[in-house]
Amino acid sequence: MLSLLELLFFPLIVAAASAPKGWHFVQNGTTGIVALEFIVVSPTLAVMFDRAQNNPLQINGHGAWGALWNFETNTATPLDIISDSFCASGGLLSNGTMVGVGGQWPESPDTEPDTDGRMMIRMFNPCTNPSGTGCDVIENPQTLHLAETRWYPSSLRIFDGSLMVVGGTHNNTPFFNVDPVTSFEFVPKKDGGVPRPSPFLERSLPVNLFPRVFALPDGKVFMIANNRSSIYDVERNTEIPLPDLPNGVRITNPMDGAATLLPLSPPFYTPEVLVCGGSNSSDTTPSIELSSQDPASDQCSRITLTPEGIKKGWVVERMLEGRMLSEMILLPDGTVMIINGANTGYAASHSVSDPIGLSNADHPVTRPVLYTPDAPIGSRFSNEGLPSSDIPRLYHSSVSLTPNGNIFVGGSNPNFGVIMNATFNSEFRVEYLNPPYMSVARPTLHNVPVTIPFNHAFTVPVVIPTNLKSTKVQVALIDLGFSSHAFHASSRLVFMNAVLAHDRKSITIVSPPNNQVFPPGPAFVFLTVDGVTSTGAHVMVGDGTAPPVKDQGIRLPL
Ligand SMILES: *[C@@H]1O[C@H](CO)[C@@H](O)[C@H](O)[C@H]1NC(C)=O
Ligand SMILES: *[C@@H]1O[C@H](CO)[C@@H](O)[C@H](O)[C@H]1NC(C)=O
Ligand SMILES: *[C@@H]1O[C@H](CO)[C@@H](O)[C@H](O)[C@H]1NC(C)=O
Ligand SMILES: *[C@@H]1O[C@H](CO)[C@@H](O)[C@H](O)[C@H]1NC(C)=O
Ligand SMILES: *[C@@H]1O[C@H](CO)[C@@H](O)[C@H](O)[C@H]1NC(C)=O
């Protein structure tokens, strides 16, 4: 029974819910650990990792440092993790298993029972229970580990569905990478587990923590770190150096810029990479001579990774403001969101001359910006209609597109341990940034096959709200990526050819041609009609087998 009060208010609530709201932030729930690593693992769940510290979320009588985030209830459930997952990376394998890699040595003083995480591989198998009951992180330090100790590595799912693990530092590094791991290795192992030395990781020292790495549609890997770039051929184990970023701009930790592979479109899937922000400070200046007030770079550099594009080199654009520690995510309509971070300073904590509390960064940038890749140069950036958050998201923040189609924002902790009385506190509050389509009638996709082979056409029912004319229909296949340290590892958007039936009741979609265009593994399919996006359908792209998987689909014409 509804009470009289509810009866009175019900029409008002309905009216409010159906009124278009535009872009808006909604705070809902707290993560209980700092959501400094975040990866969506099912339609309802994400895995989060933090460091072993005095977190409010408890497990077995101590602070948790891993947890599941539930998008339905907006609550966190602690995970019982053994190894310290601080400043690690990860991704999804071709069989859907999530893998977290690297971390730090045990915390001291020893308030939590963590073990050395630097060589750890943490697995979380596909979880079909919507609330995560019975799903856990699997760790076995004796049998399941990396060949090198790696703190601050990055990772990337490649064409055979395995995870390439890139760089990092062996040990404590207060700012620059002074104890580098200049090699790659793979999960599962290649080459009998022997790491592959990388000249690129040498050449990009000392600003090369969390290298930005991208799987190209020809199977090769594009890498950027410091102001250096390179293409790595996984099969031949060769590197070809590419042009440096212009104007001395450096974009990897501790000078974190944002970088992404732009959406790929048929028929050619021409790869382009966009890199924004970071810093043009020298990489030989000791950190104690740098300032939290040094301006972050407003430079974006974009390159087309074809022979002609490489000859042309990086093309420079400017953001609306300088950004350090910002992250890029790909939205289903093909725009790029740049969110979180600061206008001045650097990554890391307590290493510049004038930290704010312990934060090397200051002047939070609280308003996200959208980049439209195919708009004319000079009019690609816009923050029109985008709100500001009142929560600073500095070092150790995360962001992800969710299966619902809105944007999860969490974390921020430039402190050592949980500090709640600083200028920039340890941040547990979750925000969703809701695009305008979250408050209007949305298209829906139905009966999307659970497994989608490559180069395969399939027809599924759709429901399209009558007010949409369906002038523009886009179907995006998205790897939602692994968020850590301003880098969205394995993030990928491939548009699929799609034809809407005349009666608008079904759509025929063609999957990507092969496992190089979309490395096999889990993904979400989003339908966008005239800028209004559906929720995402969870799919497995490829045959869902364990890596290394065989080549699948058809090759692109050269
Ligand atoms: C927060 O999330 C819960 C669970 O989904 C929901 O019931 C509640 O209405 C949400 N609150 C706000 C303010 O959106
Ligand atoms: C890239 O950085 C290195 C090291 O600081 C510097 O020697 C080189 O000139 C830079 N490249 C460009 C194009 O500025
Ligand atoms: C370095 O970056 C800052 C901030 O974008 C800018 O004001 C300055 O002109 C840049 N310096 C050089 C030499 O490019
Ligand atoms: C925060 O609280 C701690 C413990 O009470 C205290 O030592 C510290 O000075 C406080 N910091 C600030 C900035 O107030
Ligand atoms: C997926 O593959 C990895 C690597 O071979 C393996 O360790 C893991 O157990 C597999 N997951 C499942 C659910 O079988």
Side-chain angles (χ1 to χ4, degrees):
M1 276 294 282
L2 292 173
S3 70
L4 182 60
L5 208 61
E6 278 167 324
L7 280 174
L8 280 172
F9 280 97
F10 192 60
L12 285 179
I13 290 164
V14 169
S18 57
K21 283 187 185 149
W23 287 96
H24 62 283
F25 278 106
V26 178
Q27 273 183 41
N28 200 330
T30 57
T31 46
I33 68 170
V34 175
L36 71 87
E37 293 158 46
F38 191 90
I39 179 171
V40 174
V41 291
S42 85
T44 53
L45 297 171
V47 169
M48 308 183 285
F49 292 116
D50 189 8
R51 78 196 298 173
Q53 61 183 11
N54 52 330
N55 278 321
L57 191 67
Q58 298 279 305
I59 186 159
N60 300 335
H62 62 80
W65 59 91
L68 289 173
W69 180 254
N70 185 322
F71 295 114
E72 286 184 324
T73 59
N74 290 317
T75 53
T77 307
L79 290 167
D80 198 2
I81 295 177
I82 303 164
S83 67
D84 202 305
S85 50
F86 189 42
C87 305
S89 188
L92 297 160
L93 301 178
S94 55
N95 61 356
T97 292
M98 194 284 300
V99 172
V101 287
Q104 76 161 1
W105 61 91
E107 281 283 344
S108 160
D110 203 6
T111 50
E112 315 296 353
D114 57 330
T115 64
D116 193 337
R118 290 173 299 162
M119 289 175 84
M120 281 308 291
I121 297 174
R122 304 173 194 88
M123 289 197 169
F124 185 87
N125 286 326
C127 179
T128 49
N129 184 295
S131 58
T133 308
C135 302
D136 233 319
V137 169
I138 302 163
E139 286 169 291
N140 191 331
Q142 275 72 46
T143 59
L144 191 61
H145 60 82
L146 299 171
E148 292 262 17
T149 54
R150 292 181 192 266
W151 200 37
Y152 286 76
S154 54
S155 58
L156 175 71
R157 184 167 77 253
I158 57 169
F159 58 87
D160 67 3
S162 51
L163 203 68
M164 177 173 163
V165 185
V166 182
T169 178
H170 288 114
N171 229 312
N172 195 357
T173 187
F175 194 72
F176 290 125
N177 192 358
V178 291
D179 188 7
V181 193
T182 52
S183 68
F184 314 132
E185 60 180 293
F186 300 85
V187 180
K189 288 184 180 107
K190 290 191 195 301
D191 320 316
V194 180
R196 300 181 179 186
S198 163
F200 168 76
L201 290 173
E202 298 278 356
R203 200 161 58 88
S204 54
L205 286 170
V207 183
N208 72 356
L209 297 167
F210 284 102
R212 279 38 172 178
V213 291
F214 306 98
L216 298 179
D218 65 358
K220 298 193 178 86
V221 173
F222 179 66
M223 310 187 287
I224 324 172
N226 198 341
N227 62 344
R228 310 296 199 179
S229 73
S230 188
I231 287 183
Y232 177 64
D233 186 326
V234 178
E235 284 166 306
R236 295 190 178 82
N237 190 21
T238 53
E239 282 179 14
I240 301 170
L242 261 53
D244 286 356
L245 289 173
N247 306 318
V249 171
R250 308 173 199 287
I251 63 99
T252 34
N253 187 286
M255 300 187 180
D256 280 311
T260 191
L261 178 69
L262 293 175
L264 298 169
S265 298
F268 302 118
Y269 304 96
T270 307
E272 291 186 80
V273 165
L274 177 72
V275 191
C276 295
S279 170
N280 61 10
S281 294
S282 158
D283 59 2
T284 54
T285 307
S287 67
I288 196 68
E289 290 169 29
L290 298 172
S291 166
S292 62
Q293 307 306 305
D294 291 346
S297 178
D298 63 356
Q299 176 173 300
C300 291
S301 314
R302 178 166 162 177
I303 193 167
T304 304
L305 295 166
T306 57
E308 313 79 68
I310 290 167
K311 208 172 286 170
K312 192 173 166 201
W314 295 97
V315 176
V316 168
E317 302 174 54
R318 300 274 158 204
M319 289 186 286
L320 306 177
E321 65 272 285
R323 283 178 178 264
M324 171 65 53
L325 304 170
S326 290
E327 189 159 333
M328 281 181 186
I329 52 166
L330 302 170
L331 301 185
D333 67 354
T335 55
V336 180
M337 173 160 283
I338 311 175
I339 186 167
N340 297 345
N343 187 235
T344 65
Y346 302 90
S349 303
H350 200 41
S351 31
V352 298
S353 59
D354 55 352
I356 309 301
L358 295 184
S359 175
N360 285 350
D362 195 10
H363 302 101
V365 183
T366 54
R367 191 172 181 189
V369 65
L370 283 173
Y371 177 85
T372 306
D374 54 6
I377 198 159
S379 57
R380 291 178 181 156
F381 291 99
S382 172
N383 60 11
E384 205 186 308
L386 284 160
S388 290
S389 166
D390 51 19
I391 304 178
R393 302 288 183 178
L394 301 179
Y395 203 39
H396 299 141
S397 300
S398 63
V399 59
S400 182
L401 182 69
T402 76
N404 298 330
N406 57 359
I407 295 143
F408 170 98
V409 186
S412 192
N413 190 13
N415 309 297
F416 302 136
V418 176
I419 303 285
M420 299 308 284
N421 62 347
T423 306
F424 303 122
N425 287 334
S426 306
E427 191 52 72
F428 302 102
R429 287 172 292 174
V430 170
E431 285 168 297
Y432 291 99
L433 175 52
N434 286 337
Y437 56 70
M438 293 300 289
S439 41
V440 300
R442 303 165 69 184
T444 51
L445 282 163
H446 297 272
N447 306 339
V448 176
V450 175
T451 300
I452 300 182
F454 290 99
N455 192 44
H456 171 74
F458 57 100
T459 301
V460 295
V462 289
V463 176
I464 297 180
T466 47
N467 65 309
L468 299 176
K469 294 200 171 62
S470 57
T471 331
K472 188 171 185 187
V473 176
Q474 299 166 291
V475 180
L477 182 68
I478 304 188
D479 184 322
L480 297 176
F482 186 106
S483 176
S484 180
H485 290 74
F487 180 50
H488 219 71
S490 299
S491 167
R492 195 177 201 77
L493 190 162
V494 175
F495 281 117
M496 299 193 284
N497 271 323
V499 178
L500 188 62
H502 285 299
D503 64 6
R504 309 204 317 165
K505 288 190 171 137
S506 68
I507 193 163
T508 301
I509 299 169
V510 183
S511 70
N514 61 52
N515 53 299
Q516 297 179 336
V517 172
F518 196 96
F524 285 85
V525 179
F526 291 90
L527 166 66
T528 302
V529 179
D530 300 341
V532 181
T533 298
S534 70
T535 61
H538 194 215
V539 297
M540 171 60 80
V541 186
D543 61 14
T545 56
V549 302
K550 284 202 280 289
D551 279 347
Q552 296 166 39
I554 52 156
R555 284 286 160 263
L556 289 173
L558 285 173

